[in-house]
Amino acid sequence: MTGKAAIDGLDRGVLLEALIALAEAAGDIVWRHFVEGATVTIKPDESPVTAADHAAEAAILAGLAEVAPHIPIVAEEEAAAGRVPDVDGAFFLVDPLDGTKEFIRRGNDFTVNIGLIEQGAPTMGVVYAPARNALYWGDATIGQAWRADRAPDAPRAAERRIAVRDPHTPPCAVASRSHADPATAAWLDAGGICDCVSVGSSLKFALVASGEADVYPRTGPTMEWDTAAGDALLRAAGGTTLDPDNRPFRYGKPGFRNTGFVAAGRYRPAPLRPFIRD
């Protein structure tokens, strides 16, 4: 089954609006846990998980099962529990709370992420940052992306189109607050990039997509649900995500694990491979 065939019968605009509504609802759940305080436990891989992660994911899974019951869903907490469907063609990647450590620290850089993969590429994505009142979405198949202000439990404000920008001189990079490393610093230095904005979660993709930064390098490993929604948003806004050898970044890899990547707008990055230790 091809990715295209897998969503036949679904209107793309209707599906995207459904994904936006699900991200908003999940963001409201996350926000209520943020305000009231969420129980934290430690998973077998020693990463934290909260009641907000579980509640938001359950809401997204239930909603996706209604709007697109024939499309498999790979979700972070389901995968952590060993429940991973076989994927062949289109599938959803869900991270109900990207930036859990930021959430626990009472920061504001956590997001809800829902992405659609078709034929190995992210084609549709929604990123919602409830603590920042920022909602982003896009469809790469039509090359359009949007942003709207949206406070938790409040109506969505007017949307506006977003797009990547022409590179600044020197280019501005965006990097993670919690995953800074010497390899990233070396890559930035080699490219003469001295302006760097630090932000957490999938907001790094959103900043490049909305023309607030030029490039986002990541030398360390991530999971596909961490990147799918933001990557789709970036591609919809005119950007691209490349693997360490500057080839198009693909999804549906073994274990849904990512190696390093570079996400960029119109900036043309050097390969990341020489800076990564396998």
Side-chain angles (χ1 to χ4, degrees), residues 11-22:
D11 179 276
R12 296 192 72 89
V14 172
L15 178 59
L16 181 55
E17 185 58 43
L19 300 189
I20 297 167
L22 286 173

Side-chain angles (χ1 to χ4, degrees), residues 7-225:
I7 65 165
D8 280 352
L10 291 177
D11 179 276
R12 296 192 72 89
V14 172
L15 178 59
L16 181 55
E17 185 58 43
L19 300 189
I20 297 167
L22 286 173
E24 290 175 325
D28 294 345
I29 292 170
V30 167
W31 181 253
R32 288 193 286 273
H33 281 275
F34 184 76
V35 171
E36 298 168 4
T39 302
V40 181
T41 57
I42 303 299
K43 293 190 282 190
D45 66 0
E46 299 187 352
S47 65
V49 62
T50 73
D53 295 76
H54 290 295
E57 182 166 299
I60 295 170
L61 294 179
L64 290 177
E66 287 189 9
V67 300
H70 58 297
I71 301 180
I73 308 165
V74 179
E76 180 175 14
E77 304 314 326
E78 284 288 286
R83 296 185 289 268
V84 181
D86 292 330
V87 297
D88 178 17
F91 63 99
F92 292 112
L93 281 163
V94 173
D95 189 344
L97 178 49
D98 185 26
T100 299
K101 292 179 181 178
E102 180 78 2
F103 175 90
I104 294 169
R105 287 197 296 261
R106 313 293 298 170
N108 65 357
D109 286 354
F110 52 89
T111 57
V112 175
N113 300 273
I114 306 173
L116 173 67
I117 306 300
E118 297 178 79
Q119 299 180 0
T123 58
M124 194 178 289
V126 184
V127 174
Y128 180 34
R132 286 176 170 249
N133 298 342
L135 177 66
Y136 303 86
W137 68 94
D139 185 342
T141 68
I142 60 173
Q144 294 183 7
W146 298 265
R147 178 196 163 148
D149 292 338
R150 201 269 185 183
D153 295 305
R156 191 188 317 161
E159 65 191 47
R160 63 179 177 85
R161 287 279 300 277
I162 60 172
V164 298
R165 70 186 185 187
D166 290 331
H168 282 201
T169 304
C172 174
V174 60
S176 172
R177 284 179 176 162
S178 58
H179 295 97
D181 63 277
T184 300
W187 184 89
L188 293 171
D189 289 344
I193 302 173
C194 54
D195 187 8
C196 189
V197 176
S198 181
V199 68
S201 73
S202 56
L203 285 167
K204 295 181 285 295
F205 284 102
L207 292 183
V208 179
S210 58
E212 298 176 62
D214 299 300
V215 63
Y216 160 35
R218 178 63 186 263
T219 57
T222 55
M223 302 302 292
E224 291 187 1
W225 48 75

